[in-house]
Amino acid sequence: MRRAIVAQVNVMYAPTVIELEGVSVSWSNPVRLRGVVLRDGNGKAVVTSPTATLDRSLWQLATMQPDFGTLTLHGAAVDIERRADGSIDLAEALEPILAGGDDDDETLGDDEGPSTRFTLAIDAGTLKLTSPELAAPVTADRLDMTLVCLPAPLSWEIALTNPDARSLAVSGHYDARNPEAAEAVVAIAGSRWPLAVEQAGVVAEGIFGGEVGVRMVGTDLQLTGDTVLTNVSAGGPTLKGDQPEFDRIEAAWDLDLEAEGVAIRQLDLKAPVVTVGLDPDGPEGGSKWVGRVDLAALATQMPNTLALREGLTLEQGAVDVVAILGPEGEDGASPAEVTARIAELSAREGTRVVAMDEPITVSARLQQGTGAAVEVETITVVSSFLNAEGQGDLDQGVTFGGAIDLNALDTQLRQWVDLGAVALGGSGRFGGDYRRDEAGSSYTARLAVEGQALRVAGVTEEPIVREAARFDLIVQGPAATPGLPTGWNRVHAAAKTEGVDAVVDVSPTEDALAVRGRLAMDEAAPEEGDPVVDPPSLAFDAVYRSSDDRLDLAELLVEHAMGRVRASGRIDAVSTARVASLTGAFEPDWEAISHRVAEATEPQARLVGTPRPFRLNGPLSGGSTKEILNGIDAELGVDLTEAVVFGLQVGPAPLLVRVDRGEILIDPIATTLNGGQLVVTPAVDLGEDGSMILTIAEGSGIDQIEITDDVSRRVLAYIAPVLREATQVDGRLSARVDQLRVPLAGPTPEDGGAEVEMAARVAFQQVTYGPGPMMQKILGLSGLSQQDVPNLTINQVVDVAIAEGRVHQSGLEIVAAEGVALQFEGSVGLDQTLAMRVGVPLSERLLGGQQVLNDVLGGTRVGVPIGGTLGQPRLDQEAFRIGLRQQGGRLIGRGAAVGAGQLLRMLGDEDGRSGNDQEGPVNPPQVAPPAEDLLRDVGRGLLRDVIGGGSGRKDEQP
């Protein structure tokens, strides 16, 4: 029978669960119970009692209905929790039980019979009460309680006692029979009762004694109290290490907070740093209330919280508040004047006295009418840095506005507190209003702030500087009569400044916050020489659940000129680790990408591909990029179907990047390139300084790719500059990478960061070409004309390296003709600047084709520097002239063996013929004009100086 009764009761009162180990019933004796447990809907035992007694026998239960008597729980342990949302687990557990006793229950019939009666009592129990605002649970070694559950109103008498005569009594009632004027009354009386509360990062403890009363009817609230707190101390992170202590705080009050206004009959507060009380010099028929905060005493107790500058001691200063309430006029209105003033601030720093130049004053004139809204005739704030004014009432709306000088604010604050590196500058103005609808059931509050020449330093690594900025805030929500806000249902915030436009909308749902917003950045005009940067925009639609600290993203959209990213998922632990679980797709705009690549490279560049889905899992917070990536599991990629740049045509290739346990992995790439093969094994190295470097593994490279004019002009010219303007280029190229490192993120080279580095061997395979203008000039210095060398061939291996922003090569030699091998060395900057040198051999071709001079000139080379840029190269012919002169002694020494006179006659004739035409060839080969001019000028002067002993005249003979 017990099991059947308990099962039926639990069906009736679900989700509340009642457990009962045993029951003893009698026709003449009270009902006795064992093992009584009351559990809430979450299964928590809120009341546990070993035994209980119902003061009714079976006969009385059958004959005295609906009076079910009193159920007394003996030695019950009561564990009550008030949650952050205000709900109480014991109240939730009792709610379905108490709901069955409604006087309007149809089971009573229509004859208005006696109402159900039931009382719950606890005898010698214990209590544990936890609540978010309590720093420690309230516990009682003894709990005695009487709760009259039925009939209404619900009433209670609770007595808590602890050792050392500490006691707390709570009584009251709650009557909700009239929903529009539900009444709740609570009376608390304590003696030496310890309290510990925690709010906003402050933990306060003390011993409570006295009485507190609360009475609420509808929305009207009456508060009374006469209390004493002793041994008061405070601490917590908000106080920054301060631990103020006060021996005694006395407070007494008697207030009415009603729709018609506020009535103050008594308000007295006596504390070491604060006093509030009634001034006997108030107006006739009215009252005057004064309050003071002793800032000097407060600074002594809380030096770290007030953050005064080091070495500064506040000796004097106070906040004085005066409220004068006038007598009620004929129209029922009561005027009020309230003034708050911070003045008389004086501090000492060594022998120097620091004083506030101008006080800060807030004053208001109000009109409070019976049954009407409070009218603000004026409210003003006056200081050296802020001036503001407001007026209005809830019927017509309240408006306010003003101006703030951040430079003056910075100066004022810096006198008193240590701002560190923080510095403020600029000015601003603001305005807003507060209005309710006609019925007074909802309100709208607006605030607009505009700033000019703003500068905030010390908050971020670089100062925040804005010529102009605007911030708008709109808050809407329900209101109670006569229009005062009781909550909110929408917050709209918008901020706009140079380059940034952000909007966020927040609205509460049943158990969460719906958050929608967008962030757009304007395209900023680049500095000269800087690339154009397309700013991205971001939009999101999400729901934030504070109970789980979770953000559910219905959509995250990031748009850029190069494409867009769509994602959805969730972010857990938003306020701490921000653990993301996102999936989506990257949708490149291949037309825009191709256009941008073409602008940066060459007009025919083109990229085409298809997107792949991406995923991201792991925490988004950490001390560095490397720490974040250590917990990330992600994958992002595209399938490249076509790519053409500089005449290099890349075949289809998947590009897939994965992040796994702190490593960034890129799948190897194997595809075709201009009829050849491309094999690359990339990776990414992460540095402790946040750097990210792309590396290409040794052995990666290209094989047998076809060379075109575009490839030679735009790519190979960095290795062999003579290919810049070459024509009819044909051949193949292979290359193997020994090392390649390309920094993707991190410090710049100027700040000690990495630069592009490469070491490779490049094999030119029968690369033929027609010489361009630069090569033609070099050939001319060698005694060759374009007719002599219509085509050239490169067929060799060259070592190539990139360091310090330049492409270095060694081993490049181009054979222009028999005995004419041009040797190149030097570098080409990534900015296309040339720092090259070509070794030009001296041969008989330079001297009219005299075979007899081979022994004189053999093996002699003259270096010619090549400067300028790839687009405008410059051969230093003066350096070539000097080089020839430096080789003079060697030429003359060799020439003596074969006849210096013949050498002189060949070089000495102004028109290129010797003094005796019979001794030379009848038709000597044509000599290129640059070489002819240089050689005749240098040779004639040099040989005459060495052999003839003087400059000589044209017609003189050695």
Side-chain angles (χ1 to χ4, degrees):
M1 182 177 291
R2 174 183 59 82
R3 288 194 295 269
I5 293 174
V6 171
Q8 182 62 32
V9 167
N10 286 331
V11 170
M12 294 171 57
Y13 297 147
T16 298
V17 174
I18 297 175
E19 297 177 1
L20 183 62
E21 291 183 1
V23 58
S24 175
V25 296
S26 168
W27 282 107
S28 57
N29 295 318
V31 176
R32 302 188 184 281
L33 309 174
R34 288 184 297 106
V36 180
V37 179
L38 178 67
R39 297 185 183 275
D40 66 6
N42 296 320
K44 176 194 171 187
V46 293
V47 178
T48 303
S49 180
T51 62
T53 302
L54 177 65
D55 63 350
R56 292 288 186 271
S57 63
L58 283 179
W59 174 256
Q60 291 171 324
L61 287 175
T63 60
M64 298 179 65
Q65 290 189 21
D67 186 351
F68 293 95
T70 300
L71 175 64
T72 302
L73 305 177
H74 307 289
V78 181
D79 185 353
I80 305 175
E81 179 185 2
R82 179 184 175 275
R83 308 184 186 97
D85 60 1
S87 61
I88 301 174
D89 55 7
L90 178 60
E92 291 181 349
L94 291 175
E95 182 179 5
I97 299 174
L98 301 181
D102 193 337
D103 288 345
D104 296 330
D105 195 322
E106 295 180 359
T107 59
L108 296 178
D110 300 329
D111 55 359
E112 297 186 2
S115 60
T116 301
R117 294 180 177 276
F118 176 67
T119 300
L120 177 66
I122 295 178
D123 174 34
T126 60
L127 173 69
K128 178 183 178 182
L129 170 63
T130 59
S131 184
E133 65 272 9
L134 295 176
V138 172
T139 60
D141 290 352
R142 182 180 177 96
L143 164 65
D144 294 293
M145 181 188 78
T146 300
L147 176 64
V148 179
C149 302
L150 299 169
L154 180 71
S155 62
W156 58 87
E157 295 283 344
I158 302 174
L160 307 177
T161 57
N162 275 329
D164 301 329
R166 299 180 179 185
S167 64
L168 187 69
V170 182
S171 61
H173 67 264
Y174 177 66
D175 190 351
R177 288 174 293 182
N178 182 1
E180 296 181 359
E183 181 183 53
V185 176
V186 178
I188 303 173
S191 176
R192 304 179 62 199
W193 189 261
L195 290 177
V197 297
E198 181 176 3
Q199 196 70 27
V202 177
V203 179
E205 299 180 356
I207 305 299
F208 167 76
E211 298 178 351
V212 174
V214 179
R215 180 176 183 268
M216 185 173 185
V217 180
T219 59
D220 296 339
L221 185 63
Q222 180 182 354
L223 304 173
T224 60
D226 190 353
T227 64
V228 176
L229 290 175
T230 57
N231 299 329
V232 178
S233 63
T238 300
L239 299 185
K240 301 178 180 179
D242 292 331
Q243 294 182 327
E245 296 181 352
F246 307 105
D247 293 335
R248 186 180 181 88
I249 298 176
E250 299 179 15
W253 61 93
D254 187 354
L255 312 174
D256 285 344
L257 306 178
E258 302 176 349
E260 292 79 9
V262 179
I264 304 176
R265 288 179 290 275
Q266 182 183 13
L267 182 60
D268 293 304
L269 174 64
K270 295 179 182 179
V273 296
V274 182
T275 58
V276 177
L278 179 65
D279 191 326
D281 297 332
E284 185 178 352
S287 58
K288 179 180 180 181
W289 301 87
V290 296
R292 164 166 281 220
V293 178
D294 188 337
L295 295 178
L298 190 63
T300 301
Q301 291 272 19
M302 305 170 62
N304 297 323
T305 305
L306 295 183
L308 293 178
R309 283 194 297 107
E310 186 175 355
L312 193 68
T313 302
L314 189 62
E315 296 183 335
Q316 183 179 335
V319 179
D320 290 315
V321 180
V322 178
I324 300 176
L325 307 180
E328 184 177 309
E330 296 180 357
D331 57 356
S334 300
E337 294 186 9
V338 180
T339 302
R341 181 183 175 90
I342 303 176
E344 303 175 2
L345 281 182
S346 176
R348 184 174 295 277
E349 186 176 23
T351 59
R352 188 172 73 94
V353 176
V354 179
M356 178 179 283
D357 298 332
E358 183 178 339
I360 302 173
T361 304
V362 180
S363 58
R365 290 181 58 87
L366 312 173
Q367 284 287 343
Q368 177 181 308
T370 303
V374 175
E375 178 184 353
V376 180
E377 291 185 357
T378 60
I379 180 170
T380 60
V381 180
V382 179
S383 70
S384 62
F385 55 86
L386 174 66
N387 288 277
E389 183 176 354
Q391 59 277 321
D393 58 39
L394 295 180
D395 288 329
Q396 303 299 322
V398 177
T399 62
F400 59 90
I404 184 171
D405 185 340
L406 294 178
N407 296 297
L409 175 62
D410 184 87
T411 301
Q412 188 78 273
L413 290 175
R414 205 168 291 280
Q415 286 185 343
W416 301 97
V417 300
D418 184 6
L419 297 179
V422 176
L424 306 176
S427 61
R429 55 179 184 149
F430 59 89
D433 59 24
Y434 177 93
R435 299 183 184 276
R436 63 180 177 87
D437 64 4
E438 294 182 359
S441 60
S442 64
Y443 72 91
T444 299
R446 298 181 178 87
L447 171 67
V449 181
E450 291 182 346
Q452 297 82 35
L454 299 177
R455 178 182 174 84
V456 179
V459 178
T460 55
E461 184 175 349
E462 295 293 332
I464 301 173
V465 180
R466 296 290 184 270
E467 286 299 320
R470 180 182 174 95
F471 175 76
D472 290 273
L473 178 68
I474 299 175
V475 181
Q476 296 174 313
T481 306
L484 295 175
T486 59
W488 63 279
N489 53 35
R490 179 180 179 243
V491 173
H492 172 88
K496 186 174 179 60
T497 184
E498 300 106 291
V500 178
D501 186 359
V503 175
V504 176
D505 258 290
V506 181
S507 57
T509 61
E510 183 177 351
D511 59 349
L513 294 176
V515 185
R516 299 177 181 85
R518 61 177 175 80
L519 173 65
M521 290 181 282
D522 298 333
E523 180 178 327
E527 299 290 338
E528 184 176 355
D530 290 344
V532 177
V533 177
D534 294 315
S537 64
L538 180 146
F540 57 89
D541 184 355
V543 173
Y544 175 70
R545 304 183 187 280
S546 59
S547 58
D548 300 326
D549 195 20
R550 187 180 83 230
L551 187 70
D552 293 323
L553 279 164
E555 182 179 39
L556 174 65
L557 176 62
V558 181
E559 293 187 289
H560 186 268
M562 300 295 102
R564 65 176 60 187
V565 175
R566 293 184 182 274
S568 61
R570 57 188 283 178
I571 300 177
D572 293 300
V574 174
S575 60
T576 54
R578 294 186 289 280
V579 181
S581 178
L582 304 175
T583 58
F586 170 50
E587 304 169 2
D589 186 335
W590 295 108
E591 184 176 345
I593 293 175
S594 296
H595 178 71
R596 181 58 56 83
V597 174
E599 286 182 336
T601 56
E602 49 96 10
Q604 303 303 318
R606 183 174 68 260
L607 278 79
V608 181
T610 58
R612 279 176 173 245
F614 79 85
R615 58 177 172 81
L616 171 64
N617 298 286
L620 303 180
S621 62
S624 65
T625 302
K626 189 171 185 178
E627 288 182 11
I628 294 174
L629 292 176
N630 280 337
I632 292 293
D633 174 26
E635 181 177 293
L636 173 67
V638 296
D639 288 324
L640 196 64
T641 58
E642 181 182 6
V644 179
V645 183
F646 295 142
L648 295 170
Q649 185 164 359
V650 182
L655 303 179
L656 187 62
V657 181
R658 291 176 290 112
V659 180
D660 182 16
R661 289 173 294 184
E663 291 187 287
I664 299 180
L665 308 174
I666 304 176
D667 283 6
I669 300 170
T671 185
T672 60
L673 178 66
N674 273 33
Q677 296 295 316
L678 168 68
V679 177
V680 177
T681 305
V684 176
D685 291 342
L686 299 174
E688 296 294 340
D689 58 355
S691 61
M692 187 179 298
I693 299 176
L694 174 67
T695 65
I696 302 299
E698 182 179 358
S700 299
I702 54 178
D703 285 309
Q704 294 290 318
I705 70 166
E706 296 179 0
I707 303 301
T708 64
D709 288 355
D710 279 343
V711 174
S712 65
R713 182 174 65 255
R714 308 300 290 274
V715 180
L716 298 183
Y718 285 91
I719 303 173
V722 294
L723 295 177
R724 168 73 179 196
E725 301 297 336
T727 59
Q728 299 178 346
V729 182
D730 188 25
R732 290 185 176 271
L733 188 81
S734 297
R736 281 291 176 272
V737 173
D738 294 329
Q739 179 190 29
L740 177 57
R741 294 169 58 84
V742 181
L744 302 178
T748 63
E750 292 78 7
D751 296 330
E755 296 182 332
V756 177
E757 297 180 9
M758 185 187 77
R761 293 181 65 82
V762 179
F764 292 86
Q765 297 162 326
Q766 294 299 323
V767 177
T768 62
Y769 63 96
M774 180 169 68
M775 191 62 184
Q776 292 176 18
K777 290 180 181 180
I778 296 173
L779 291 173
L781 296 178
S782 303
L784 299 172
S785 66
Q786 184 176 4
Q787 290 78 11
D788 297 326
V789 188
N791 288 292
L792 292 169
T793 299
I794 305 177
N795 188 33
Q796 66 179 119
V797 177
V798 178
D799 290 323
V800 180
I802 297 179
E804 299 180 347
R806 304 193 66 80
V807 180
H808 302 264
Q809 65 82 20
S810 61
L812 178 61
E813 182 177 272
I814 301 177
V815 178
E818 184 178 356
V820 181
L822 302 170
Q823 295 178 349
F824 291 83
E825 63 180 8
S827 67
V828 181
L830 298 178
D831 58 357
Q832 298 194 358
T833 57
L834 293 171
M836 299 289 292
R837 189 177 187 87
V838 56
V840 179
L842 299 183
S843 68
E844 73 279 2
R845 291 177 179 275
L846 292 171
L847 304 173
Q850 300 295 320
Q851 186 68 30
V852 71
L853 298 178
N854 275 338
D855 292 337
V856 177
L857 303 177
T860 302
R861 293 181 183 275
V862 177
V864 182
I866 305 175
T869 65
L870 284 174
Q872 295 182 327
R874 293 194 305 269
L875 271 69
D876 192 342
Q877 295 191 7
E878 180 61 27
F880 183 56
R881 190 188 304 272
I882 294 172
L884 285 175
R885 187 173 294 277
Q886 290 173 346
Q887 294 287 350
R890 183 180 181 186
L891 290 175
I892 297 306
R894 291 181 180 181
V898 297
Q902 183 180 3
L903 178 62
L904 177 62
R905 288 193 298 275
M906 294 174 59
L907 295 175
D909 200 353
E910 189 76 35
D911 59 4
R913 296 187 303 274
S914 66
N916 185 353
D917 290 343
Q918 300 302 320
E919 296 181 10
V922 178
N923 296 307
Q926 189 78 19
V927 179
E932 181 181 11
D933 294 342
L934 290 172
L935 285 173
R936 289 192 183 283
D937 290 344
V938 173
R940 185 169 55 247
L942 176 65
L943 292 178
R944 285 176 178 169
D945 287 344
V946 176
I947 299 175
S951 59
R953 293 192 308 273
K954 173 183 175 182
D955 55 352
E956 289 181 345
Q957 297 295 325

